Amino acid sequence: MNAQPIPQRVVKTRRIAFSYPSGGLNQHYVQGDLVMSHAVAVLSAMFPEGEDFFVRAVKHYADRVTDPQLKAQVKGFIGQEITHGREHRALNDRLRAMGYPTRLVDRFTHWLMIRTDRIVPKRFQLAVTAALEHYTATVAERLLTSPEAQELLGENEVRSMLLWHALEESEHKAVAFEVYRHTGGSERLRIVTMYVVNLLFFPIVVGFTALSLLGDRATYNPVRLIRSLAALRHSPFLARVVIEHLRAYNHSGFHPDDFDASELLDRWRTELFGEQGVLADHLK
């Protein structure tokens, strides 16, 4: 077992709730962008079953964790992920009512995660969790650092929910990685797993986004579709810094804390949940 010390991290479960009243969202809620609205809907639809899978993978090894700091972080990780799944289910119900195929994506993700549970070794499941947590943390920290990314979300409840989710993804970004490492996971399997995740994740997201677009009448306006596709070239989420951040995972000796987000997290904790925090009234 790796005896490297566990850094102190704040991984806190927040009791929070968001609401999406009928008519409270524009059809293309990502600042009117056609493709991005469908892509975000697909990702949101994948989260609940994905978060449940992450929790199962980490829980399986939780009793092997002896470090008290990591034990506390695992507890916070599980609480945060369960809350994320619940809140994304509420958003997905609203998006489904607006015509997005979130139920179809959710059912596929459920099938994929259950099959993975039954067929794939537990160690590999934990490695998949650590790899996908790197994805979510990379996107989350891009959202929290890029004004252009934040501007895409406009001023609505989806923006609020995604900012909260991004904060917590960054807070717990190293937990699954640390559980993997401290329970004997190898560097070789960690890196190979990320290559497998890369081969599967992008085609699934792109495929379901295309399918979602086919069910939207606005897609058949060629001018609007072409403009939306062209805008992807300049998307803050596809910037070089994001690609480099994702690729860093494949380097031997990588650790999520190589990208220090402590100051970023302090700022956003205050902005969202401080005394005058914009989401303080969302806390239960």
Side-chain angles (χ1 to χ4, degrees), residues 16-17 157 272-284:
I16 194 168
E157 194 77 336
L272 296 180
F273 299 110
E275 189 173 332
Q276 303 297 323
V278 295
L279 296 184
D281 63 341
H282 285 58
L283 293 172
K284 296 181 180 179

Side-chain angles (χ1 to χ4, degrees), residues 31 142-143 145-154 159 234-237:
Q31 288 294 76
R142 182 58 175 167
L143 175 58
T145 55
S146 169
E148 293 82 8
Q150 295 158 30
E151 186 178 347
L152 274 177
L153 300 180
R159 169 194 171 92
H234 307 289
S235 171
F237 295 107

Side-chain angles (χ1 to χ4, degrees), residues 116-164:
T116 303
D117 273 346
R118 293 173 179 172
I119 297 171
V120 175
K122 295 297 184 182
R123 175 65 64 187
F124 185 76
Q125 292 179 35
L126 184 58
V128 168
T129 299
L132 286 171
E133 283 292 313
H134 181 62
Y135 263 95
T136 56
T138 297
V139 174
E141 290 175 7
R142 182 58 175 167
L143 175 58
L144 296 177
T145 55
S146 169
E148 293 82 8
Q150 295 158 30
E151 186 178 347
L152 274 177
L153 300 180
E155 298 291 338
N156 55 46
E157 194 77 336
V158 175
R159 169 194 171 92
S160 297
M161 195 269 271
L162 292 179
L163 286 172
W164 156 74

